[in-house]
Amino acid sequence: PPRLARLTGLVTRARRAWDRPLTAYYVLAGTGLLLTSLGLVMVFSASQIQALRYDLPATFYFRKQLLAAVLGAGLLLLAARMPVKLLRALTYPVLAVSVVLLALVQVPGVGVEVNGSTNWLNVGGPFQLQPSEFGKLALVLWGADLLARKGERGLLAQWRHLLVPLVPVALLVFGLVMVGGDMGTVMIMTAVLFGLLWLAGAPTRLFAGALATGAALVVFFIVTAPHRLDRLACIGATDPGPDDRCWQAVHGLYALASGGWLGSGLGASVEKWGELPEPHTDFIFAITGEELGLAGTLSVLGLFAALGYAGIRVAGRTEDLFVRYAAGGATAWLMTQTVINIGGVLGLLPIAGVPLPLFSYGGSALLPTMFAVGLLISFARSDPAAKAALAMRRPATRTLAGLGRKTKRRRG
């Protein structure tokens, strides 16, 4: 039938477009820019009432996020242009600094408690630093460099080289973060560790044992902390329950449900007027659904899906072991954090208190995330086919520029 033929033709053209050498490069750059820009708009909308409640200017949180986005854009451009050799040389210093900062958080008088978690450092004035966010980036880079060095020497077939010192160092970082009470970040880091081991060719039985051990630890930490048990009980809740313990989870669903197909309009959210806690951080996706509707939330989900698929493509097509592990680890980090955040907002997962990457308010989360996106862009550009395509475009660009200058001279 003609319709089926047209549909088949569209699918074929879409596959050809996706297989082009520069597709991943453009998708990563485009999704990173769009998510950050839309995130700024939603932070501005979702944070105004929160700022006024604390007698702050209405644009207080937006201005801080805008400053972080500008700094993050600089880090993204730096990462996109950084040579792989220099990046690998910095992995150990970055890890060491992250471990020191995570340890400093637990020093009395130095660490700051926010929402029940002591994972912050006061760096002066209203600015605070969350070292665990930079710890994710450090774990990705250091783990990728370590596994790449061993893989280049053919040592990853041996269990002791596969697991040591990667797993002990990762457990040290997990422990420092967990001491501060941030279980959500530990879950993301665990996904990064599993992603690195999977890319390195770890056997399936290793993951089975690790998952069983991890599940037992998760149960232990949930049972020993009443607030975590309450969050688990709020999965799928439709009413606040006794003592309003599911208030945030339920009002997140109220926000999404009231948005309808196209939303109530930008800035017209009702839930941000004190009903929904953390509307500009953990639950910004709910405010997006209320103001931009199903169309807005599906657009955000589509952008994250494109970002994740492009990251997987970069990791799968490269022959450089470090690039493969780093791209895979960064993609596992971003996608796991996205799933945990949105799953909590939708009531499908416990609320873990982690921000939506590139979207939620928080400079400590935005800076390393934008650096990670810059790394993925750099890795996409380093593909031989992408290099050749870019090299072919440069002469054409110079020719067009030369023709433009000649035309101006003739007109003059």
Side-chain angles (χ1 to χ4, degrees), residues 238-316:
T238 55
D239 63 82
D243 302 322
D244 291 332
R245 65 180 182 180
C246 298
W247 180 274
Q248 187 176 21
V250 170
H251 277 270
L253 293 178
Y254 290 169
L256 290 169
S258 61
W261 290 99
L262 299 177
S264 58
L266 192 62
S269 167
V270 174
E271 290 294 331
K272 69 183 180 184
W273 286 78
E275 296 295 328
L276 179 63
E278 307 299 334
H280 58 310
T281 54
D282 303 347
F283 272 69
I284 196 169
F285 187 76
I287 302 299
T288 303
E290 185 179 6
E291 296 189 349
L292 303 184
L294 182 64
T297 54
L298 289 180
S299 299
V300 173
L301 289 175
L303 289 172
F304 276 114
L307 179 67
Y309 196 75
I312 293 172
R313 169 179 162 142
V314 171

Side-chain angles (χ1 to χ4, degrees), residues 88 145 147-156 320-322:
R88 295 185 67 171
D145 178 69
L147 292 175
R149 291 180 189 278
K150 292 191 174 187
E152 290 161 0
R153 296 165 58 188
L155 300 175
L156 293 180
D320 188 308
L321 289 179
F322 172 77

